[in-house]
Amino acid sequence: MKYITAVVLMVLMLSSCKDATNGLTKSLALEIIKACEADRPVQVEKLMYVGNMTFHNGGTSLTELNYLKKLAKKGVIKLDSISSTKQEMSSSTRINTVYNIDISDANKKYIIRQKDNTVYVNLVYSEVQDVESIIFKNEARADVVANFKKVETPFYDRDFVRVSNLKDKPELFSKTVSFHKQNKSGWMSCHLKGN
């Protein structure tokens, strides 16, 4: 009887001891952040048109055409001039050129979504590299400092990317990720803090 009582007391004492990390380790945090990235990636996308498009020799049309010409020079897209017409305006002549735009097969993997002639391509995204530290706020909340890498796709061109939180980030940067623990599910995240 003494033996059974001693074993029961020992089991109760061991089960009451709590791990200081409450089960959240750097490797688990890294695994959860990677799952979040797969589900909801942090990326910058750009609207592009494929097929036949008409561009003018001025304004935003010319800016977009210059961007496309840079991509074509790098082999990211195919850009073929089909026809050109002149249009007399009151104070100038506008040249309308029709181009056929096609994304090269090797770069179609960067298409996020497409509907008819409209495509959204991934310009730049972040990818978690490792977990630097874990700061526990209490038993059910923690902030994880993770290191990320900025990955630029062939569609990325700093001169043509509008304002984004990834544009000005260095190649490697740290970000704080909020974690919370639920009784049934364990540790969860997908809450990147803006820092």
Side-chain angles (χ1 to χ4, degrees):
M1 186 67 168
K2 284 184 180 181
Y3 177 73
I4 294 174
T5 306
V7 170
V8 169
L9 284 173
M10 181 86 111
V11 168
L12 286 173
M13 285 178 17
L14 289 174
S15 66
S16 68
C17 294
K18 285 194 175 179
D19 181 7
T21 65
N22 205 4
L24 183 61
T25 63
K26 287 182 178 182
S27 61
L28 177 61
L30 182 63
E31 184 181 311
I32 292 170
I33 294 170
K34 283 183 178 181
C36 289
E37 282 182 337
D39 188 41
R40 295 187 318 182
V42 177
Q43 62 191 7
V44 178
E45 57 188 50
K46 179 177 183 0
L47 169 83
M48 288 183 62
Y49 296 100
V50 293
N52 292 345
M53 287 297 303
T54 302
F55 291 92
H56 312 293
N57 62 331
T60 56
S61 184
L62 185 60
T63 303
E64 182 70 11
L65 182 58
N66 288 335
Y67 169 71
L68 294 174
K69 284 180 177 179
K70 275 182 115 173
L71 293 180
K73 190 174 183 179
K74 295 190 302 186
V76 177
I77 64 168
K78 297 169 194 155
L79 183 67
D80 299 315
S81 176
I82 295 175
S83 66
S84 186
T85 59
K86 288 185 181 181
Q87 183 179 7
E88 295 297 326
M89 309 295 277
S90 59
S91 61
S92 65
T93 302
R94 183 165 85 177
I95 300 172
N96 301 315
T97 307
V98 177
Y99 288 90
N100 185 334
I101 305 163
D102 189 27
I103 296 174
S104 66
D105 290 339
N107 293 298
K108 287 186 178 181
K109 63 184 175 186
Y110 299 108
I111 295 174
I112 298 167
R113 62 188 177 280
Q114 179 173 359
K115 184 176 181 187
D116 301 324
N117 289 1
T118 305
V119 296
Y120 288 86
V121 294
N122 192 349
L123 296 176
V124 61
Y125 60 95
S126 65
E127 194 173 75
V128 68
Q129 300 299 298
D130 61 13
V131 170
E132 193 174 302
S133 64
I134 301 174
I135 303 143
F136 290 94
K137 296 183 168 222
N138 57 40
E139 290 180 0
R141 294 179 52 90
D143 283 343
V144 173
V145 179
N147 295 315
F148 290 83
K149 179 180 181 183
K150 178 172 83 170
V151 181
E152 298 171 357
T153 74
F155 290 94
Y156 181 81
D157 189 311
R158 187 170 178 77
D159 297 334
F160 294 101
V161 173
R162 296 202 174 113
V163 178
S164 81
N165 62 345
L166 286 175
K167 180 179 178 179
D168 296 324
K169 295 270 187 205
E171 185 179 339
L172 297 172
F173 61 95
S174 295
K175 199 154 186 76
T176 302
V177 183
S178 295
F179 276 73
H180 63 279
K181 187 170 187 178
Q182 294 183 340
N183 289 337
K184 292 180 182 177
S185 307
W187 285 100
M188 301 178 72
S189 184
C190 293
H191 301 288
L192 290 171
K193 287 188 167 184
N195 62 338

